[in-house]
Amino acid sequence: MHAHGDDDGLIELKTSEQFEAMKQAGKVVSRTLALLRSAVRPGITTGELDRIAEESIRSLGAAPSFLGYGDFPGSICASVNEEIVHGIPGSRVLREGDLISIDCGAIIPADPAQAATGRWNTRGWHADAAITVPVGEVAPELAELSRVTEQAMWAGIEAVKEGVALNDVSTAIDGYTRTQPRRYGIVRDYGGHGIGSAMHMAPMVFNYPVRGERTVLATGMAIAIEPMLTLGRNKTRVLADDWTVVAKDGSPAAHWEHTVALTPEGVVVTTAPEE
Ligand code: MG
Ligand code: MG
C-alpha cells in the first residue's frame, strides 16, 4: 500500500503485521547496540565490534542490513572522532578518549529460512539505529556533543504525530540544537529516511527545515531520525575508502538514530532500549 509523499517517490504504508516484524527487527538492533555499548573499551578494534554485532544479529534470527549494501563490508558502521558516519569496521584500535558512533541495522526476513544466510538484500522488515559511545573517559565537550545529539534526536522523535508535517520534525531537531549555549555543526549532507521493506526509502528526513517539503506524517509510515552534529562546521568529505564520511574541518562528531513507527496504536520507537 502506498500514499503520495514528497518528490522522492512513494511512501510505503505498513500493515499491523508488518509493524510487528519491524518491532522484532528493532529489538534485534537495540539488543545488539546494548551489547556493543558494553563491549566498547580502550584496546578493542572496530572489527571485533563488527563480529560481535553480526553474531548477535544472526543469533536473534535476523540478517544484517548493512553487510553487502553497496558492497559495504561490515554489519555495523564504526565512526571514530572526526568520522561522522559510514566508517568501515576493521583493524582500528579504540583508544581512551575516543568517541565512537556505532550504526546498526537488521532485517527480520519475510521467510525465516533466509535468516542464516541473509544480508542486505534479504526480503523482510528493517530497523536502523545508532548510538555514540565514549571510549573510557572522554573530554567534557565530547560527552556534551553526544548528549546534545541524542537529545536533538529525541526532540525530533517527540514531534512525530499523525497529521504533523515532517518538516516540523526537522525543525524540532534543528531548533533544539540551535538553542544550546554552544554552537554545533548540523550536518546537512546526510540525514534520516523512510524505512520498512528496505533500509532507505522515501521520504528523506532532513535535520533542518526545508522550504517546500510537504510530507505529512500518517499512520502506516516509519522513519529513521538521525541527527549528526560536529563541534565545528557542518561540511563533510568522503575518505579514499569511498565510505567514511568525515568532518571537513577535522572536528569531532556524534550520531544518534532511532527507527520510529506510526502504528494504529500510536508512535513506537522500534529500536528503543529495553527497560
Ligand atoms: Mg543507521
Ligand atoms: Mg539510517
Side-chain angles (χ1 to χ4, degrees), residues 66 103-104 128-130 193 199 226 255 257:
F66 295 3
D103 197 340
C104 180
D128 185 8
H193 48 91
M199 178 165 56
E226 50 178 317
H255 177 213
E257 175 179 26

Side-chain angles (χ1 to χ4, degrees), residues 42-245:
I44 198 168
T45 67
T46 55
E48 286 172 88
L49 294 174
D50 184 57
R51 280 190 289 281
I52 292 168
E54 182 174 0
E55 193 185 309
S56 167
I57 291 167
R58 295 203 191 280
S59 76
L60 295 167
S65 305
F66 295 3
L67 187 62
Y69 181 92
D71 285 331
F72 190 79
S75 295
I76 56 168
C77 295
S79 309
V80 184
N81 299 337
E82 79 286 359
E83 298 172 356
I84 302 169
V85 284
H86 305 167
I88 299 174
S91 58
R92 181 169 187 163
V93 179
L94 296 182
R95 296 189 311 181
E96 177 89 22
D98 283 344
L99 191 65
I100 181 173
S101 302
I102 305 172
D103 197 340
C104 180
I107 313 164
I108 290 293
D111 170 10
Q114 254 195 309
T117 52
R119 15 208 269 165
W120 70 274
N121 54 358
T122 300
R123 276 170 40 84
W125 298 93
H126 289 247
D128 185 8
I131 57 175
T132 294
V133 187
V135 182
E137 283 281 309
V138 300
E141 64 267 28
L142 293 184
E144 182 66 0
L145 167 68
S146 177
R147 190 193 70 79
V148 170
T149 309
E150 183 180 11
Q151 288 311 308
M153 171 192 69
W154 282 110
I157 292 170
E158 278 157 22
V160 173
K161 278 178 194 67
E162 161 96 41
V164 161
L166 180 60
N167 212 26
D168 290 352
V169 174
S170 303
T171 303
I173 296 166
D174 182 78
Y176 177 85
T177 307
R178 285 179 192 282
T179 53
Q180 297 304 305
R182 189 191 198 289
R183 197 178 158 140
Y184 294 94
I186 305 172
V187 173
R188 291 182 166 223
D189 297 340
Y190 303 86
H193 48 91
I195 180 167
S197 62
M199 178 165 56
H200 293 138
M201 313 182 84
M204 288 179 68
V205 181
F206 298 99
N207 291 317
Y208 57 95
V210 172
R211 196 184 293 265
E213 163 53 58
R214 289 192 190 83
T215 302
V216 174
L217 295 172
T219 298
M221 289 174 57
I223 53 175
I225 294 178
E226 50 178 317
M228 289 144 263
L229 302 185
T230 79
L231 283 183
R233 298 179 62 89
N234 65 2
K235 297 288 177 265
T236 68
R237 70 186 178 90
V238 178
L239 297 186
D241 64 19
D242 276 341
W243 279 106
T244 312
V245 177

